[in-house]
C-alpha cells in the first residue's frame, strides 16, 4: 500500500461536518479505489466547542486555517470556509504554495481568483479541484471537463442556487412569504452565510462563471455577468405565471452568440411543460447543449451537507488516485479571452407587469409605445377591478411579448413610465422557451 493521503479540513460548518463523516464512512472503498488509505488528520474552524454532532478528538486542531495549510503532515487541504478573500484565500494560496493539493467548494473565491489559483496549482503540479463549487451534488464540473471533452458546447443553463429554487417553489406551492421560506432555507443549512448572495443572484453568478470557463474554454469573467435576483418577485407574479402556463425560476445562462459569450442570471418564466420547470425545492438542474451529444440535463440536490460532501469526496478520490488535471480543463494560458455579448443585444420574449392607472386611453398609450419599438404582443391580461391607492385607481396589467430585444423593451417601458399611465416601476421577467 502507498503512503496514506492525509487530509486537513478547513471549515467545519454543515458541509465540513458531513465531509468528516463521509470520509470515515467511505474509507474502505476510497482506499481500495486508490491504493492508499485516505484519512483526515487535522481540522480547523472558528469555534472549537460548537457541537457539530461529530467527534473531533481523533484530529489535530488548528485555530488558524493558514497554519493548517502550512503544516508538514497534511497532503491535501479541503477548504470549506467560504468567502472570496480573508482566511479562505490565504488558506488556499498557502496550501498551493507549499505544494499541497486543494479541494474546495468555494465558488466566490474561484469566480474572483480562480485563474490566479489555477496558475499557481499548475506551476506546483498539484490539484485545485472544485466539483462541489457548482450545483452541489451534481457532478457538472467533471461532466464538462471530462465526459464532454468530445463536444463543442453552445449553451449551458440551469438552476444553480438551491435556496432560490426552494424559496420560489414553496412560495408558489404553499403560498408562504419570501421571509418564511428564506428562514427555513437558513435553518436547513442551504443558504449562504449572507443570504443576499443567494437571493440577489450572486451565488448563481459565481457558479455560472466557473461553468462558463469549463464549457467554452475561456477565462473566467464573472464581471461580465448580468445579474438580477429574486427579491422583487411577488406572489402576484407567481400567480400570473401559473395562470399563463409558466413557473418562475432563477436561471443562470451562458451561450455563444454572434457577438461573443452572453452570461446572465435572472428570474425566468419557464413553460410548465419544460424539464427545468419540473425541478422543485432545493434541487438544481443544468442543461448543456453541445454539438455531438445534442442536449443533456443533470438534476440533483444543489445544496446541503451530504450532497455537497459527495462532490468533495469525488475530488478527494481523484487526488488519492493521482488524477490531476488542469483545473479549468486546459492550462490557464490556453484559455481564450472571450468577447462579452452585451445584455442589450439579448433577444427573447418578455413578461411585463404594469400597475396601470385605470382611466380611458391608458392601455392605448401603452400599446402605442410598444408598437413604436416594433414590439409585438402575444397577450394582454388585465386583472381585477381598479384598486384605490394614493394616485387613484390602478389595475395590474400583464403583457406577454413575442421575441424582441432588451434595448427595445427597456426603451418602450421608459416611455410608458414617462406617459404617467403607470404608478410603479414595471416588473420585467424574461421568458425562456
Ligand atoms: N447557498 C447555496 C445554494 C449553497 O443555496 O445553492 C450551495 O452552493
Amino acid at each position: 500500500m502507498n503512503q496514506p493521503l492525509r487530509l486537513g479540513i478547513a471549515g467545519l460548518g454543515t458541509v465540513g461536518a458531513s465531509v468528516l463523516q463521509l470520509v470515515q464512512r467511505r474509507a474502505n472503498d476510497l482506499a481500495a479505489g486508490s491504493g492508499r488509505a485516505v484519512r483526515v488528520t487535522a481540522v480547523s474552524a472558528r469555534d472549537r466547542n460548537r457541537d457539530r454532532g461529530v467527534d473531533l478528538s481523533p484530529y489535530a486542531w488548528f485555530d488558524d486555517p493558514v497554519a493548517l495549510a502550512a503544516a508538514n503532515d497534511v497532503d491535501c487541504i479541503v477548504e470549506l470556509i467560504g468567502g472570496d478573500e480573508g482566511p479562505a484565500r490565504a488558506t488556499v494560496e498557502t496550501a498551493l504554495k507549499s505544494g499541497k493539493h486543494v479541494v474546495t467548494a468555494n465558488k466566490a473565491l474561484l469566480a474572483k481568483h480562480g485563474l490566479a489559483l489555477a496558475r499557481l496549482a499548475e506551476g506546483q503540479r498539484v490539484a485545485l479541484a472544485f466539483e462541489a463549487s457548482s450545483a452541489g451534488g451534481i457532478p457538472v464540473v467533471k461532466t464538462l471537463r471530462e465526459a464532454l471533452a468530445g463536444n463543442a458546447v453552445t449553451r449551458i443553463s440551469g438552476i444553480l442556487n438551491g435556496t432560490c429554487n426552494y424559496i420560489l417553489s414553496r412560495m408558489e406551492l404553499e403560498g408562504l412569504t419570501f421571509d418564511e421560506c428564506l428562514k427555513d432555507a437558513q435553518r436547513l443549512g442551504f443558504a449562504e452565510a449572507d443570504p443576499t448572495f443567494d437571493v440577489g443572484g450572486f451565488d448563481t453568478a459565481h457558479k455560472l462563471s466557473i461553468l462558463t470557463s469549463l464549457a467554452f474554454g475561456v477565462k473566467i469573467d464573472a464581471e461580465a455577468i448580468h445579474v438580477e435576483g429574486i427579491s422583487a418577485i411577488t406572489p402576484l407574479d407567481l400567480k400570473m405565471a401559473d395562470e399563463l402556463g409558466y413557473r418562475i425560476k432563477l436561471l443562470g445562462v451562458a451561450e455563444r452568440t454572434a457577438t461573443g459569450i452572453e452570461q446572465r442570471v435572472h428570474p425566468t418564466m419557464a413553460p410548465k411543460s419544460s424539464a427545468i420547470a419540473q425541478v422543485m425545492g432545493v434541487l438544481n438542474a443544468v442543461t448543456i447543449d453541445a454539438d455531438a451529444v445534442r442536449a443533456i440535463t443533470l438534476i440533483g440536490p444543489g445544496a446541503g451537507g451530504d450532497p455537497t460532501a459527495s462532490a468533495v469526496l469525488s475530488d478527494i478520490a481523484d487526488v488519492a488516485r493521482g488524477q490531476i488535471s488542469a483545473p479549468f480543463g486546459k492550462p490557464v494560458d490556453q484559455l481564450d479571452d472571450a468577447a462579452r455579448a452585451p445584455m442589450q443585444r439579448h433577444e427573447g420574449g418578455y413578461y411585463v407587469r404594469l400597475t396601470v392607472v385605470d382611466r380611458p386611453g391608458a392601455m392605448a398609450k401603452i400599446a402605442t409605445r410598444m408598437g413604436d419599438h416594433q414590439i409585438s404582443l402575444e397577450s394582454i391580461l388585465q386583472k381585477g377591478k381598479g384598486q384605490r391607492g394614493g394616485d387613484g385607481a390602478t389595475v395590474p396589467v400583464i403583457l406577454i411579448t413575442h421575441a424582441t430585444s432588451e434595448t427595445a423593451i427597456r426603451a418602450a417601458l421608459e416611455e410608458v413610465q414617462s406617459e404617467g399611465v403607470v404608478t410603479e416601476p414595471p416588473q420585467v421577467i424574461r421568458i425562456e422557451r
Side-chain angles (χ1 to χ4, degrees), residues 246-301:
Y246 295 101
R247 279 214 163 104
I248 301 178
K249 297 289 179 191
L250 184 77
L251 292 192
V253 182
E255 59 190 320
R256 247 186 220 291
T257 71
T259 51
I261 293 187
E262 181 179 281
Q263 295 185 78
R264 53 194 165 90
V265 172
H266 51 74
T268 304
M269 292 277 175
K272 271 190 202 163
S273 57
S274 66
I276 216 94
Q278 317 306 318
V279 177
M280 302 298 273
V282 74
L283 289 180
N284 280 194
V286 186
T287 296
I288 302 161
D289 296 302
D291 58 352
V293 75
R294 311 276 191 255
I296 56 169
T297 298
L298 307 170
I299 299 175

Side-chain angles (χ1 to χ4, degrees), residues 45-52 56 61:
R46 261 199 306 233
D47 178 2
R48 188 170 190 169
N49 298 316
R50 210 182 102 198
D51 181 12
R52 300 173 169 89
L56 297 181
W61 177 269

Side-chain angles (χ1 to χ4, degrees), residues 216-255:
F216 300 106
V218 297
K219 295 196 172 114
I220 286 192
D221 188 5
E223 286 182 4
I225 304 179
H226 174 90
V227 185
E228 294 169 28
I230 63 164
S231 45
I233 301 295
T234 66
L236 180 59
D237 294 318
L238 290 162
K239 188 164 171 287
M240 289 295 93
D242 184 44
E243 279 187 29
L244 291 160
Y246 295 101
R247 279 214 163 104
I248 301 178
K249 297 289 179 191
L250 184 77
L251 292 192
V253 182
E255 59 190 320

Side-chain angles (χ1 to χ4, degrees), residues 36-392:
R36 62 194 294 203
V38 176
R39 60 172 176 254
V40 178
T41 55
V43 296
S44 173
R46 261 199 306 233
D47 178 2
R48 188 170 190 169
N49 298 316
R50 210 182 102 198
D51 181 12
R52 300 173 169 89
V54 279
D55 176 14
L56 297 181
S57 62
Y59 316 117
W61 177 269
F62 285 77
D63 285 323
D64 177 6
V66 181
L68 170 65
N72 286 329
D73 49 359
V74 170
D75 308 303
C76 174
I77 291 293
V78 180
E79 186 272 307
L80 303 168
I81 301 167
D84 61 8
E85 296 293 345
R89 183 179 178 194
T91 300
V92 170
E93 284 179 353
T94 303
L96 294 174
K97 281 179 187 160
S98 56
K100 294 183 178 64
H101 305 289
V102 170
V103 171
T104 178
N106 192 335
K107 53 260 161 157
L109 178 72
L110 292 164
K112 192 163 171 191
H113 300 295
L115 294 179
L117 295 173
R119 209 172 256 125
L120 199 52
E122 285 166 21
Q124 294 279 36
R125 297 181 188 280
V126 292
L128 172 65
F130 44 82
E131 184 59 72
S133 67
S134 297
I138 300 177
V140 63
V141 169
K142 286 186 191 175
T143 298
L144 286 167
R145 197 179 51 209
E146 290 151 31
L148 294 182
N151 287 261
V153 175
T154 50
R155 186 175 194 272
I156 177 157
S157 63
I159 297 170
L160 299 174
N161 184 272
T163 299
C164 286
N165 206 46
Y166 175 85
I167 291 174
L168 291 172
S169 301
R170 290 198 68 199
M171 281 177 74
E172 180 199 325
L173 299 180
E174 297 175 49
L176 296 175
T177 65
F178 179 88
D179 289 337
E180 282 172 307
C181 301
L182 176 57
K183 276 203 190 92
D184 280 352
Q186 288 176 298
R187 185 177 51 76
L188 293 164
F190 308 148
E192 296 303 300
D194 174 356
T196 51
F197 275 87
D198 296 296
V199 299
F202 307 109
D203 179 74
T204 301
H206 292 149
K207 294 165 181 169
L208 184 69
S209 72
I210 296 165
L211 298 183
T212 302
S213 173
L214 289 160
F216 300 106
V218 297
K219 295 196 172 114
I220 286 192
D221 188 5
E223 286 182 4
I225 304 179
H226 174 90
V227 185
E228 294 169 28
I230 63 164
S231 45
I233 301 295
T234 66
L236 180 59
D237 294 318
L238 290 162
K239 188 164 171 287
M240 289 295 93
D242 184 44
E243 279 187 29
L244 291 160
Y246 295 101
R247 279 214 163 104
I248 301 178
K249 297 289 179 191
L250 184 77
L251 292 192
V253 182
E255 59 190 320
R256 247 186 220 291
T257 71
T259 51
I261 293 187
E262 181 179 281
Q263 295 185 78
R264 53 194 165 90
V265 172
H266 51 74
T268 304
M269 292 277 175
K272 271 190 202 163
S273 57
S274 66
I276 216 94
Q278 317 306 318
V279 177
M280 302 298 273
V282 74
L283 289 180
N284 280 194
V286 186
T287 296
I288 302 161
D289 296 302
D291 58 352
V293 75
R294 311 276 191 255
I296 56 169
T297 298
L298 307 170
I299 299 175
D306 279 359
T308 310
S310 157
V312 169
L313 265 278
S314 85
D315 284 338
I316 291 173
D318 280 353
V319 171
R321 282 193 294 259
Q323 247 171 254
I324 297 167
S325 34
F328 292 97
K330 294 179 194 172
V332 173
D333 291 336
Q334 288 178 38
L335 295 169
D336 292 332
D337 289 295
R340 296 176 176 184
M343 193 60 193
Q344 295 88 314
R345 300 266 185 91
H346 171 75
E347 293 202 349
Y350 287 80
Y351 159 103
V352 178
R353 177 171 55 75
L354 299 169
T355 307
V356 178
V357 175
D358 196 8
R359 67 165 179 252
M363 278 307 298
K365 283 189 175 153
I366 293 167
T368 303
R369 292 306 187 185
M370 293 286 158
D372 288 348
H373 290 275
Q374 313 301 317
I375 298 169
S376 161
L377 297 176
E378 185 181 301
S379 54
I380 304 175
L381 207 65
Q382 179 173 322
K383 292 307 283 184
K385 292 213 180 69
Q387 305 281 319
R388 190 142 301 273
D391 296 328

Side-chain angles (χ1 to χ4, degrees), residues 1-6 27 30-32 34-39 75 320:
M1 195 68 116
N2 297 317
Q3 291 292 312
L5 178 71
R6 298 163 302 176
L30 282 171
S34 62
R36 62 194 294 203
V38 176
R39 60 172 176 254
D75 308 303

